[in-house]
Amino acid sequence: MLTLRGRGPRRGDSLSKLGIVKDGAVLVRDGSIAAIGPTSKVEKLASARKAESLDVGGRVVLPGFVDSHTHLIHAASRAEEYELKIQGASYEEIGRKGGGILNSVKRLRAATSLQLKRRARAALEIFAAHGTTTIEAKSGYGLDVASELKILSLHKELGAEQPIEIVSTLLGAHVAPLEFRSKSNGPEEYVKLLTDWLIPEVSTNGLAEYCDVFCDRGAFSRAQAKQVLEAGLRHKLRPRLHAEQLSRTGATLLAVELGAASCDHLEQINAADIRALAKSDTVAALLPGCDFHLGLKEYAPARKLIEAGAIVALATDYNPGTSPTMSMPMILSLACAQLRMTPAEAIAAATINAAYSLGRQKRIGSLEVGKQADLAVFEVEDYREIPYYFGVNTCWLTMKGGSVIYAA
């Protein structure tokens, strides 16, 4: 049993401390962990004698994965673009021709809420089948007030209708929508729409906890990102930031300046960015699935971030264009093989540190008394086999709040 017990978040050497209990047991009461430790001790508790027993037969138990960066709601895959990329077209070239994010926007606007919800429900079941119990979900494929509100409302509905916890983020500033691109000051007008109309509406209706911006070449500038995120802060939406993915824009330093919960991607960060993150409480959320799917050779410098003392998390970046995966175990495999993280570091980054980036480290992300009983059980003998078997789902059982939500 990997408890991940202790103070979070984890930095440096503490990232690899999993709090392993051999031959462990956990006692669950009313959805929370009532006791945890060696089986011989837990079984002797009076309350344990009356409890229903679930024997996992020597398998590995760990906290349910916390996926801190997803784009859950979208209308369709972009498989046709996948083939274009294989033939040599770049992500940015496809975007300039109306593909990419704008392709997903067009399809989402044409889809009904029911169609979007069915697709998202199917994805959530796959998340659960791979050991994930909590996800962050961004809007960003609507890019007008009505469509963005539709996405965020679906997050709320889905959170109430199925077991995986959904933490909602407004990503109205994904890219400027097509209808604003023909205007000379279109991006500025769109930013004003976000700051004056959409952000206040989202806050008033409690549809999101966070506000995110894609700050990069071809999307929004650092100044525009600051304008949007400061408007979010005024309306009690904490910042998150897509930072330094395609080019270095200074977004990481902006994230630190604003006290952002996380800055995500980070393939193009430099030494100054790494030092700033190490001194801050902003989480460096790494998304190796995106680089893998795009066939890129440059991944985020995880080792430098860890050694500097930054808080490192891992996430799927589940989305139809650059990372169509719901498998956190596959992300662990990529973190180990491409980011050179150890299996222990990868697991901590995908649990307690990811929980911290969502402001939920006191409830989830580790197996400790008083926390939610969010567990994942894997059909392996050694926790290192979870990333070792790449592209293979060894998840045997997933529990959310004490209820089994997936069983192999």
Side-chain angles (χ1 to χ4, degrees):
M1 184 178 295
L2 316 182
T3 67
L4 279 294
R5 62 177 176 253
R7 294 181 61 125
R10 306 297 175 83
R11 302 176 188 256
D13 292 342
S14 69
L15 191 62
S16 60
K17 294 176 181 175
L18 297 180
I20 296 175
V21 177
K22 294 184 177 180
D23 190 19
V26 58
L27 179 64
V28 177
R29 183 188 299 119
D30 298 327
S32 298
I33 296 173
I36 187 167
T39 301
S40 58
K41 289 186 178 181
V42 174
E43 284 182 337
K44 289 176 183 175
L45 298 171
S47 52
R49 293 183 198 130
K50 299 176 183 178
E52 178 187 352
S53 178
L54 174 61
D55 187 354
V56 302
R59 296 174 176 88
V60 170
V61 181
L62 63 152
F65 291 124
V66 179
D67 193 344
S68 62
H69 185 132
T70 83
H71 301 254
L72 175 66
I73 304 290
H74 52 268
S77 81
R78 300 212 303 260
E80 71 287 353
E81 294 179 8
Y82 178 59
E83 189 168 34
L84 289 173
K85 283 177 240 172
I86 291 167
Q87 293 167 350
S90 74
Y91 173 65
E92 291 173 280
E93 286 169 348
I94 291 168
R96 283 194 294 269
K97 294 175 181 176
I101 293 166
L102 293 178
N103 182 0
S104 288
V105 171
K106 181 180 178 182
R107 293 179 179 185
L108 184 135
R109 288 179 179 179
T112 67
S113 290
L114 182 59
Q115 289 169 329
L116 295 171
K117 185 184 277 192
R118 281 177 180 159
R119 185 175 180 86
R121 281 294 293 257
L124 288 163
E125 289 176 6
I126 299 171
F127 276 113
H130 287 80
T132 295
T133 49
T134 301
I135 69 164
E136 182 262 13
K138 304 178 191 296
S139 65
Y141 290 132
L143 305 188
D144 61 32
V145 172
S147 300
E148 288 291 299
L149 293 176
K150 177 166 74 172
I151 295 169
L152 296 173
S153 296
L154 285 172
H155 290 167
K156 198 166 190 175
E157 289 176 26
L158 286 161
E161 293 171 5
Q162 55 77 55
I164 288 184
E165 184 176 358
I166 299 173
V167 182
S168 195
T169 295
L170 169 64
L171 180 59
H174 205 176
V175 294
L178 195 60
E179 59 267 28
F180 282 83
R181 294 194 173 202
S182 58
K183 303 177 183 179
S184 59
N185 61 340
E188 289 73 23
E189 283 188 30
Y190 183 64
V191 166
K192 187 171 176 57
L193 175 72
L194 297 177
T195 58
D196 294 0
W197 292 95
L198 184 55
I199 288 171
E201 183 77 7
V202 168
S203 177
T204 298
N205 290 287
L207 293 176
E209 294 180 38
Y210 295 94
C211 182
D212 198 345
V213 178
F214 184 17
C215 180
D216 215 321
R217 185 175 66 214
F220 292 93
S221 69
R222 187 180 193 267
Q224 290 166 338
K226 186 175 184 181
Q227 193 177 344
V228 172
L229 295 175
E230 285 182 338
L233 280 167
R234 289 194 296 273
H235 291 277
K236 298 182 171 57
L237 301 179
R238 193 175 174 196
R240 311 184 82 83
L241 209 53
H242 285 61
E244 334 291 7
Q245 180 188 4
L246 305 172
S247 62
R248 187 176 181 275
T249 61
T252 299
L253 297 180
L254 175 63
V256 172
E257 175 190 330
L258 295 178
S262 74
C263 54
D264 304 23
H265 284 291
L266 306 181
E267 287 86 349
Q268 306 299 327
I269 56 172
N270 65 16
D273 300 325
I274 292 171
R275 285 194 298 271
L277 283 168
K279 293 176 183 176
S280 79
D281 292 326
T282 296
V283 176
L286 310 184
L287 314 173
C290 181
D291 302 308
F292 173 77
H293 188 72
L294 291 175
L296 303 178
K297 294 180 171 60
E298 190 170 11
Y299 286 74
R303 287 259 52 93
K304 290 180 180 178
L305 285 161
I306 293 167
E307 288 158 12
I311 306 166
V312 173
L314 290 168
T316 61
D317 190 17
Y318 169 61
N319 77 82
T322 62
S323 191
T325 183
M326 293 140 275
S327 172
M328 281 299 289
M330 182 62 189
I331 298 303
L332 299 190
S333 297
L334 291 172
C336 294
Q338 302 299 327
L339 304 183
R340 314 313 292 173
M341 294 174 72
T342 67
E345 289 171 338
I347 288 169
T351 53
I352 190 61
N353 280 7
Y356 176 80
S357 87
L358 298 180
R360 283 159 167 74
Q361 72 279 9
K362 293 182 179 178
R363 289 200 290 111
I364 61 174
S366 63
L367 304 182
E368 299 178 84
V369 172
K371 284 196 167 185
Q372 281 181 204
D374 292 4
L375 318 173
V377 183
F378 280 79
E379 182 89 64
V380 293
E381 296 179 357
D382 184 313
Y383 74 87
R384 291 169 293 192
E385 292 177 340
I386 298 171
Y388 169 81
Y389 289 109
F390 70 92
V392 177
N393 186 21
T394 56
C395 185
W396 185 76
L397 181 141
T398 307
M399 178 180 286
K400 177 67 178 177
S403 297
V404 174
I405 64 171
Y406 166 78

